[in-house]
Every structure is written in structure tokens, then in C-alpha cells.
Amino acid sequence: MKSSRLLSIVLLLQTRGRVPAAELAERLEVSARTVYRDVEALSAAGVPVYAERGRHGGIALLPGFRTDVTGMTTDEARALFILAAQGAHSALGLDDALRSALRKVMAALPAPHRPAAELAGRRILVDPDKWTPRPSSAPSADGPSGDAAAARPAVDLDVLHTAVFTDLRLRIHYRHSGETRLRTYTVDPYGLVAKAGTWYLVADRRGRPQLFRADRVASATLTDVPVRRRAGVELAEVWQQLRRQVEDRPADVWVTARIRRERLDLAVRILGGALTGPPRTGDGDEGGDWATLDLAYPVLPAVRQLLQFGDSLEVLAPPEARRVMAEAAAALTAVYAGDTP
């Protein structure tokens, strides 16, 4: 559309200064003749743009001219400020550059969009890193894995999104890990966090912080009661507190297992934080076909995670962990040993 192209020309000139007509034409995928016609249209509309011919010529705006016409919607402004929390930017040493860039973007935003953009940065966080604890080490109410919940949330995220931006209390029907019964809570939302692709609602319940997986929220309803957050406390602070609670929870069950070497790489990827050290090889296993794994779990039933490796993995110790594996394997055998329906 021509209006979109005219806006693109103005923004490019504000950013670059003088730009050759040929370059503008290439960027906009039009002819140089069309660019000159657009320049005439802008000039007729009162934009102080001019063209200079010659070897060092080009299209430019009069010095000092600025416009706050960015074409940006409120939602687009919000999106700019939903950025990674201690993720790739920190790893690359770009935190200072990111903060500087955001200050510049905020200054360039049209005034009506600035409050929405600033609020978005306080209500939505994206943390791309995977959970670093043992896979089942989180409390059942808010664990990083817990159970095999569907990746798509049961409740529409728009409801949770609205709650965190309207500053209203939220009533949710929530299913805890390992339970089928729904519980009802009234919570004070701080915001939403996307952790390694999974969404969480961060909220206070009865004045205490709690993490709720969005895919376990069966339904959510906005109340007409204003939210009651703790004074001076923001989402980033509450998220860090809850994240540490999950990742720092101590393990109570220490497991030694052996796995066939051809499945070792897969096991390291899947078991991840359950491993307490690198796999051990060369411990006298037959022909070097096996590697030894040292793992830690918060509760004994969690060792059933190892069943997915079938007969390629054997739990060696402790005896009670072997018993859990044997009982689980027997239960599976009973399920599949019957006649096919």
C-alpha cells in the first residue's frame, strides 16, 4: 500500500539521514521513478523532504525534523518490552546494550503507547532457559514438569493476560500435579512467565507467592475486586524467589544406574538435571557396553522416570528404588498381557 510505503520512507530517512533513491527503491521493491513520485507526495503533505541529484545526492529530510508517527499499535509497543529475563542477553554480555536500546525505543515511542510498553515489561517475562533442577524436583502445585500436561493451556491465556493488565483479582479452578480434583483459589496476579515454552501465572495466594502452570488452570474468572499485591514488589522479584524454590529443593533419593552406551547421549539429554555428575565409564562393565549414572530425586516414586529406557537401563541401587521399578514394570506387564480388546 502507498501509505505504508510513504511511512517507511519517512522512518528510513529519520534513521539513516540521506539515502540514495536507488537504495530506497531496492528496499521498498519499487522503481526509482516511484520513489521520486512518493517524495513529491510527501512534500505536498507537508513533510520537509527533498531530493538532491548528482553523484553524492539522495533523498533527505530537512535537518531537525522528527515525527512520532511510527505506525506502531499499543500491542506492538507492548511486544517490544516482553524480553528475555536473564537469558541470551546475559549470556552474550549484552544486558547493558539491551537496557540502552530499550531507553531509546521508549523515547522514540509515541507518548500514548509508553505506559502500555512500560507495563508490559513489568507484567510479562520470557525466560528461555530450561529448568535446572532434577526433572521432578518441584513442588507438585507448581513443578516444572510434574505430570504430562498438554502443551496447550486448558484455559485461554487471554483471560490470564487480561487479569495481569487490569489489576483485578482472579478466581481460578486449578488441577495440581497427580490430582484429578479441581481446587478453587482466589489469587492476586503479578504477571505471566514463559519458562522454556511453558506459561506460568505468578500470583499471591493469601499473601504468599505461588506458581501456577497455565495448562493446569481449568477455568479463570476476573473478579471486580482490585488486586492486592505486596507494596513495592514486582513480577521479576517474585519470579526469582519462586524459581529458586523450585531449583534449590534438595534431593532425598540417590540412585545409581547403568545404561547401554548407545543410549547414553539420549539419557543425558532427557535426564538432564537429575544427573549429579558426568556418566562414568570403564568401571569393569562387560566390553565397555555400559555406562554408570548417578542421579538424585526428591521422592522415591520419581525414579519411574527411568522406565522409558526399557531394558537399556538398570537401576543398581538403592534396593527400594529397584523395588519401585520392578513394581511399575509388573503393573505395565499386567496391562499389556491381557487380551487385546
Side-chain angles (χ1 to χ4, degrees), residues 261-276:
R261 292 288 292 271
E262 62 265 23
R263 303 297 299 279
L264 180 58
D265 289 343
L266 178 64
V268 170
R269 289 198 302 271
I270 292 177
L271 299 176
L275 294 170
T276 62

Side-chain angles (χ1 to χ4, degrees), residues 23-258:
E23 182 178 338
L24 284 175
E26 181 179 356
R27 282 175 172 267
L28 301 173
E29 298 182 346
V30 296
S31 66
R33 180 174 297 180
T34 298
V35 168
Y36 284 118
R37 282 201 300 263
D38 288 345
V39 169
E40 292 176 0
L42 286 170
S43 181
V47 177
V49 60
Y50 64 96
E52 287 187 354
R53 305 284 183 175
R55 181 179 178 184
H56 300 292
I59 312 298
L61 294 167
L62 287 179
F65 175 79
R66 300 290 297 177
T67 178
D68 64 0
V69 179
T70 64
M72 189 176 295
T73 66
T74 299
D75 285 344
E76 289 170 340
R78 283 179 176 176
L80 283 174
F81 287 80
I82 298 176
L83 298 166
Q86 297 186 1
H89 303 97
S90 296
L92 295 173
L94 295 176
D95 273 349
D96 289 341
L98 175 62
R99 284 190 288 268
S100 175
L102 287 180
R103 285 195 298 267
K104 293 176 181 177
V105 170
M106 181 68 79
L109 282 176
H113 295 333
R114 292 175 190 169
E118 190 274 336
L119 185 61
R122 294 167 48 208
R123 294 284 183 266
I124 308 289
L125 289 177
V126 178
D127 187 341
D129 297 329
K130 294 182 179 180
W131 290 99
T132 58
R134 303 149 192 97
S136 303
S137 65
S140 61
D142 50 18
S145 54
D147 60 10
R152 181 171 58 84
V155 69
D156 191 341
L157 272 176
D158 284 346
V159 178
L160 304 182
H161 181 271
T162 300
V164 303
F165 280 99
T166 55
D167 291 336
L168 293 174
R169 279 191 156 187
L170 186 66
R171 185 175 293 108
I172 62 174
H173 297 287
Y174 189 73
R175 181 185 62 80
H176 290 276
S177 175
E179 297 184 3
T180 57
R181 180 171 66 93
L182 294 176
R183 299 176 184 265
T184 302
Y185 301 122
T186 299
V187 299
D188 297 298
Y190 284 92
L192 293 170
V193 176
K195 174 70 168 172
T198 299
W199 282 99
Y200 296 87
L201 171 68
V202 175
D204 274 354
R205 184 170 75 88
R206 297 178 179 176
R208 298 176 64 86
Q210 191 164 338
L211 200 59
F212 300 91
R213 276 183 63 136
D215 53 13
R216 295 190 195 138
V217 179
S219 64
T221 306
L222 285 173
T223 71
D224 56 2
V225 179
V227 71
R228 299 175 186 172
R229 300 186 185 99
R230 284 165 285 148
V233 179
E234 294 287 346
L235 170 63
E237 178 183 346
V238 182
W239 166 245
Q240 291 302 324
Q241 176 186 351
L242 292 170
R243 184 180 60 81
R244 284 194 298 269
Q245 288 177 7
V246 172
E247 296 184 338
D248 294 345
R249 187 180 180 190
D252 295 322
V253 180
W254 302 89
V255 175
T256 302
R258 67 171 189 166

